[in-house]
Amino acid sequence: MASVVVQTRLEIPMSDDQLKANTPSIPLRKPYGSTDLISTKTPPRHGRHSKDTKWWVVLNLAFQSIGIVYGDIGTSPLYVYSSTFSNGIKHKDDVLGVLSLVFYTLTLLPLIKYVFIVLRATDNGEGGTFALYSLICRYAKVSLIPNQQAEDRQVWNYTLELPSKRLKLASVLKSSLEKSKFAKLFLLLITMLGTSMVIGDSILTPSISVLSAVGGVKEATSALTQDMIAGISIVILVFLFMIQRFGTSKVGYTFAPILSLWFILIGGIGFYNIIKHDTTVLKAINPIYIVEYFIRNKKDAWVSLGGVVLCTTGGEALFADVGHFSVRSIQVSMCSMVYPALILAYTGQSAYLRQHPDSASDAFFKSVPGPMYWPMFVVSILASVIASQAMISGTFSVVHQSLSLGCFPRVKVVHTSANHEGQVYIPEINYFLMLACVGVTSGFKTTVKIGNAYGIAVVFVMTLTSALLVLIMIMIWKTNIFLIILYVVTIGFVELIYLSSVLYKFTLGGYLPLAFSAFLMTVMYVWNNVYRRKYHYELDHMISPARLTEIFTNKNMSRIPGLAMFYSELVQGIPPIFEHYVSNVPALHSIIVFVSMKSLHVNKVPAEERYFFRRVEPRTLFAFQCAVRYGYNDVREVAFEETLITRLKEFIQEETWMQIQTLSIGGNMTEAGRESDREIEHNEISKAKQAKEEKLREIMEQEIEQVEKAWEEVGIVHLIGQNEVIASKESNVMKRILVDYAYNLLRRNLRQSEAVFDIPHKRMLKVGMTYQL
């Protein structure tokens, strides 16, 4: 590994007077963020995630969250009863049993689990499967890529509380995870599975929501066949996906009033139906009706759970979208409007079905009073579109997170909002979702069949979230073991029961999300596996200090004006791409920067802490290493070159400032020691120290001037690897298939590095090299 000077700070106890006396009187600007690099104190947080957020801000965010978070769970009354009673209602009291199941399922899973437990596990305000995985990776060394740096913990939101040695369970579990390669791989795989299921959910949500809403027109006319309804739904879906490029994720804010109106209407109609049809339906709050329902229907009751669980669809969205709002605002909106409206809606449908048991196939629209039919039909279509939009936007965010952590092939990410960093559009994913939605809608045509597939995606994601949450409870929260056991035997047990039910419908459509997930997991695993192998290859083949010195001292190697950036995955050491370049081009630019785009397991990295520089020694080489650190939700700067140059000049200033500070402190110690012996006069020490300070300042000014000249007059040349990845000769058949065929197929058909990083083609050079993995 090349010799480097690590950016660091000396902390020597000095009084305020000593510090003022020893501060050099040179015109050095204090480096940006220079006093905060080793601070472990979390800076104050203001805005939407602050604990002291004003009540009116919470209410405003709660109102906005209705338009983004609750579209999926809010439209579930359109299809829950039709999916649950797919074979009709066999006994009048079966309605009470199902209503009781819906009531306790909504209360236990979306309300208690997600709103009051899971939302506590946010990663600095961000939620989702990768947020849970990132929390675990920051707490325990379970990442499969060994690119952690001690300096990463200087990022203010990176460090978590370390386990107390008194808490034996947390320490033992943490140690076991760190020592087991299987455990590390298993954690990564279940995170990929959860992400794949969320993407599968975003395929099924638009299909079932729009199809259910459009299907309501059958109440007004019988002229439309199911094929025609499916065709109309496909037209709406295609239109929805085609407008994604315009940044339609912001429609959640615009149409929050529509979803608010939707919840008011379904709650009001539900209350009306209770009063008009059957007030005794309220006794379903007694769970004895669940027991009786299972006694009467036995296996059929267990199979029907696959329809009941659809009332929880969108529960994961509560967690995934919390980053746009706050925990408190989502709790307020759920408890004050969404949960009461849903309970009234399901209770009202149950009251109607008690009097009209033959209407189970379309309980929602048949229970709507006549004068309210067309308003509800229009609002239901708008609500289903908004629900679909929320899931599509959520998928873009999830893929963006996966991409940042090296778990997804390179795709183009377009940021659609200057005000909201999390709003992104990914063309390749958008068209994949569109084709999949069209295929599902045209293939299944009915909500019952899609519901069979939908349930598996919903329950799988909930179960995986619970598994990761239990790890966080033990290791990070250090929750009482009895509370953990209570969580597992209640919520965990209920989710496993639902999972067993939806898996029973595998041949009835349940295979679809599993097929989608298997395909996406294969793509993610292939890419991540080779990504890790390439990183280890660079780590094993980085240039030694002796070889680096040999390259720079070679008489045939000339230095030309300009600044060259070599891109690699290596965060420490000189990458092999440099060796390949100098073996073909006997010239080096006057300034060299080895750039590594590094993703941390945090949601965001503050701009002032993003660029971390080291100088490659000796100083005469004028070469630097730069790790550009991003969180998985960060947006890459548009003016990347300009920002990097600015940070490089700040680093040179800071480095000089540190050297002068060290010189001043060392000079004072020398002076104090020698005064006692009266060997050197005070003025001689001062003159020598001042001369060294002037020399350092002169070198600093020359280097900054050289950087500015290279940037303004010559420009930057970007050198990236044109990599050919092949399996080594000793590789087995599976590895050859994975590397030579699967990975290279993905690489050839997806975007290259320059397209992803927006590197200008006129100032880009590709360095050909072969990775034998």
Side-chain angles (χ1 to χ4, degrees):
M1 179 176 176
S3 175
V4 295
V5 175
V6 180
Q7 184 178 0
T8 184
R9 248 177 201 78
L10 293 177
E11 285 194 351
I12 298 178
M14 299 178 65
S15 67
D16 292 341
D17 294 337
Q18 286 177 315
L19 187 61
K20 292 178 181 178
N22 292 301
T23 301
S25 56
I26 57 176
L28 277 178
R29 182 184 61 81
K30 191 175 182 179
Y32 192 59
S34 61
T35 61
D36 298 324
L37 285 182
I38 61 172
S39 173
T40 58
K41 294 177 64 177
T42 301
R45 303 179 68 189
H46 302 285
R48 59 183 52 183
H49 298 299
S50 177
K51 292 183 179 179
D52 57 349
T53 304
K54 300 299 183 182
W55 64 267
W56 58 83
V57 176
V58 172
L59 290 180
N60 181 44
L61 290 174
F63 175 71
Q64 291 179 355
S65 70
I66 294 173
I68 285 185
V69 176
Y70 301 107
D72 196 2
I73 195 173
T75 54
S76 60
L78 286 168
Y79 47 79
V80 166
Y81 278 157
S82 63
S83 297
T84 304
F85 296 115
S86 57
N87 296 322
I89 299 174
K90 299 177 181 179
H91 191 281
K92 191 175 182 179
D93 283 349
D94 286 353
V95 176
L96 295 178
V98 170
L99 176 59
S100 189
L101 280 169
V102 168
F103 172 75
Y104 285 104
T105 301
L106 272 175
T107 303
L108 193 63
L109 297 181
L111 186 65
I112 296 178
K113 175 188 171 181
Y114 279 99
V115 174
F116 291 108
I117 299 178
V118 176
L119 287 187
R120 292 184 56 222
T122 60
D123 181 13
N124 297 303
E126 295 292 336
T129 308
F130 266 100
L132 295 177
Y133 178 67
S134 295
L135 279 176
I136 296 172
C137 285
R138 294 216 310 277
Y139 181 80
K141 295 179 181 179
V142 296
S143 176
L144 291 173
I145 296 182
N147 66 341
Q148 295 94 339
Q149 296 171 284
E151 297 84 4
D152 293 339
R153 295 191 176 275
Q154 296 170 356
V155 177
W156 72 266
N157 58 349
Y158 189 95
T159 305
L160 296 170
E161 180 188 358
L162 294 177
S164 170
K165 292 183 179 180
R166 293 181 292 106
L167 299 172
K168 186 177 181 180
L169 181 61
S171 300
V172 169
L173 181 58
K174 177 176 181 289
S175 177
S176 300
L177 289 176
E178 291 179 342
K179 292 177 181 179
S180 173
K181 187 175 181 179
F182 172 80
K184 295 178 182 179
L185 181 61
F186 182 74
L187 276 176
L188 179 62
L189 288 178
I190 65 172
T191 303
M192 289 181 178
L193 178 60
T195 302
S196 301
M197 284 293 179
V198 170
I199 297 174
D201 194 0
S202 66
I203 294 172
L204 298 173
T205 294
S207 301
I208 195 171
S209 298
V210 174
L211 195 59
S212 299
V214 175
V217 77
K218 289 188 296 184
E219 293 302 307
T221 175
S222 58
L224 290 177
T225 64
Q226 194 62 43
D227 289 340
M228 296 173 68
I229 291 173
I232 296 172
S233 301
I234 288 173
V235 172
I236 294 175
L237 288 171
V238 170
F239 174 76
L240 175 64
F241 283 102
M242 293 304 292
I243 63 175
Q244 292 299 312
R245 70 184 70 181
F246 301 111
T248 50
S249 57
K250 58 178 70 72
V251 302
Y253 291 96
T254 306
F255 286 98
I258 292 178
L259 275 183
S260 298
L261 177 62
W262 167 257
F263 284 116
I264 292 171
L265 287 175
I266 64 173
I269 291 174
F271 182 76
Y272 169 82
N273 285 331
I274 294 171
I275 301 300
K276 179 180 179 181
H277 296 292
D278 188 1
T279 56
T280 62
V281 77
L282 296 175
K283 61 186 179 181
I285 196 172
N286 187 345
I288 190 63
Y289 288 100
I290 298 177
V291 178
E292 294 176 353
Y293 175 66
F294 275 89
I295 292 174
R296 278 194 307 272
N297 296 279
K298 298 179 175 62
K299 180 182 176 181
D300 290 340
W302 171 67
V303 173
S304 71
L305 291 177
V308 174
V309 77
L310 295 181
C311 70
T312 65
T313 59
E316 191 67 22
L318 296 174
F319 185 41
D321 291 329
V322 68
H324 295 288
F325 309 102
S326 68
V327 172
R328 183 59 55 84
S329 65
I330 289 182
Q331 289 174 339
V332 169
S333 57
M334 181 67 172
C335 296
S336 63
M337 174 175 283
V338 178
Y339 178 75
L342 289 174
I343 294 298
L344 285 173
Y346 286 115
T347 307
Q349 287 187 47
S350 299
Y352 179 83
L353 289 177
R354 290 266 288 177
Q355 302 299 321
H356 306 86
D358 295 333
S359 301
S361 61
D362 195 13
F364 180 83
F365 282 105
K366 287 185 177 180
S367 66
V368 174
M372 293 298 297
Y373 170 76
W374 284 110
M376 283 301 296
F377 176 73
V378 173
V379 175
S380 68
I381 290 180
L382 292 175
S384 65
V385 169
I386 295 171
S388 304
Q389 176 64 53
M391 286 305 302
I392 295 167
S393 302
T395 298
F396 293 155
S397 298
V398 167
V399 172
H400 183 214
Q401 293 178 6
S402 306
L403 179 67
S404 300
L405 296 175
C407 294
F408 205 87
R410 294 190 182 104
V411 289
K412 184 177 182 180
V413 178
V414 180
H415 300 278
T416 59
S417 173
N419 299 321
H420 305 285
E421 294 182 355
Q423 296 184 1
V424 296
Y425 164 68
I426 303 176
E428 292 92 336
I429 300 301
N430 184 63
Y431 293 119
F432 168 75
L433 293 178
M434 182 181 72
L435 294 175
C437 282
V438 170
V440 169
T441 306
S442 61
F444 286 92
K445 291 186 175 66
T446 66
T447 57
V448 174
K449 293 181 179 179
I450 297 178
N452 293 335
Y454 199 17
I456 288 184
V458 172
V459 182
F460 250 110
V461 174
M462 290 195 301
T463 306
L464 292 174
T465 298
S466 286
L468 294 174
L469 186 65
V470 168
L471 290 179
I472 290 175
M473 286 180 176
I474 296 173
M475 293 194 304
I476 301 176
W477 294 352
K478 307 177 186 68
T479 307
N480 187 292
I481 187 62
F482 294 106
L483 294 178
I484 297 174
I485 293 174
L486 179 63
Y487 178 90
V488 172
V489 298
T490 53
I491 293 176
F493 177 75
V494 169
E495 289 176 343
L496 289 177
I497 292 294
Y498 277 121
L499 183 61
S500 67
S501 175
V502 296
L503 287 176
Y504 179 79
K505 298 182 178 181
F506 179 83
T507 58
L508 302 176
Y511 60 86
L512 189 64
L514 294 179
F516 280 137
S517 298
F519 170 74
L520 291 169
M521 270 197 72
T522 301
V523 170
M524 295 173 72
Y525 177 75
V526 167
W527 190 268
N528 181 261
N529 183 279
V530 178
Y531 174 81
R532 287 185 277 115
R533 292 178 187 273
K534 286 171 60 180
Y535 182 87
H536 284 284
Y537 178 90
E538 289 192 346
L539 200 64
D540 294 337
H541 292 82
M542 61 185 180
I543 301 175
S544 65
R547 176 57 182 154
L548 184 66
T549 303
E550 181 184 343
I551 291 173
F552 278 97
T553 56
N554 188 344
K555 294 181 179 179
N556 296 324
M557 187 67 64
S558 59
R559 300 298 290 265
I560 59 177
L563 191 151
M565 291 187 184
F566 290 84
Y567 291 85
S568 80
E569 303 290 346
L570 210 58
V571 296
Q572 295 181 356
I574 307 303
I577 184 179
F578 185 66
E579 176 85 40
H580 285 267
Y581 173 77
V582 297
S583 63
N584 292 280
V585 182
L588 289 173
H589 292 76
S590 58
I591 306 172
I592 296 174
V593 181
F594 299 100
V595 180
S596 171
M597 299 289 188
K598 180 181 181 181
S599 293
L600 300 186
H601 286 286
V602 291
N603 59 329
K604 293 182 182 298
V605 175
E608 63 270 18
E609 299 177 355
R610 179 162 296 159
Y611 293 80
F612 186 83
F613 283 91
R614 290 183 174 92
R615 185 185 289 272
V616 179
E617 294 291 355
R619 188 165 188 162
T620 54
L621 301 182
F622 212 171
F624 304 88
Q625 287 182 303
C626 176
V628 188
R629 304 179 292 191
Y630 291 96
Y632 51 78
N633 274 344
D634 272 327
V635 178
R636 298 188 186 275
E637 300 92 333
V638 176
F640 171 71
E641 292 180 348
E642 183 177 353
T643 305
L644 188 141
I645 293 298
T646 301
R647 295 290 186 262
L648 176 58
K649 291 189 291 185
E650 290 175 353
F651 167 75
I652 294 172
Q653 280 188 320
E654 182 174 356
E655 185 184 45
T656 304
W657 179 75
M658 290 166 56
Q659 290 173 342
I660 291 176
Q661 286 291 95
T662 305
L663 182 65
S664 300
I665 296 170
N668 287 339
M669 291 180 177
T670 303
E671 181 181 353
R674 293 182 179 180
E675 276 183 349
S676 60
D677 299 329
R678 301 184 182 277
E679 294 178 357
I680 302 177
E681 295 294 332
H682 171 74
N683 58 345
E684 292 180 356
I685 297 175
S686 300
K687 289 180 180 179
K689 186 167 60 175
Q690 185 176 2
K692 290 180 180 179
E693 291 176 358
E694 291 293 335
K695 181 64 175 178
L696 288 173
R697 184 175 65 174
E698 182 182 348
I699 294 173
M700 178 200 71
E701 292 173 348
Q702 290 175 353
E703 289 185 338
I704 291 178
E705 182 181 358
Q706 191 172 350
V707 170
E708 291 175 344
K709 184 178 180 180
W711 159 246
E712 296 172 358
E713 298 181 6
V714 182
I716 297 177
V717 176
H718 301 266
L719 296 105
I720 65 172
Q722 182 72 17
N723 304 327
E724 181 183 358
V725 181
I726 60 174
S728 60
K729 295 180 180 180
E730 309 83 43
S731 302
N732 56 37
V733 175
M734 290 302 299
K735 185 177 177 181
R736 288 181 182 275
I737 293 174
L738 187 145
V739 176
D740 293 343
Y741 298 100
Y743 174 79
N744 282 302
L745 178 66
L746 291 173
R747 187 175 62 86
R748 285 193 299 268
N749 290 280
L750 294 171
R751 297 176 185 269
Q752 300 299 314
S753 300
E754 65 272 15
V756 176
F757 297 138
D758 292 326
I759 297 175
H761 284 270
K762 293 182 179 180
R763 292 186 281 111
M764 179 185 67
L765 290 177
K766 293 184 178 181
V767 181
M769 58 184 298
T770 301
Y771 288 84
Q772 286 193 346
L773 306 179

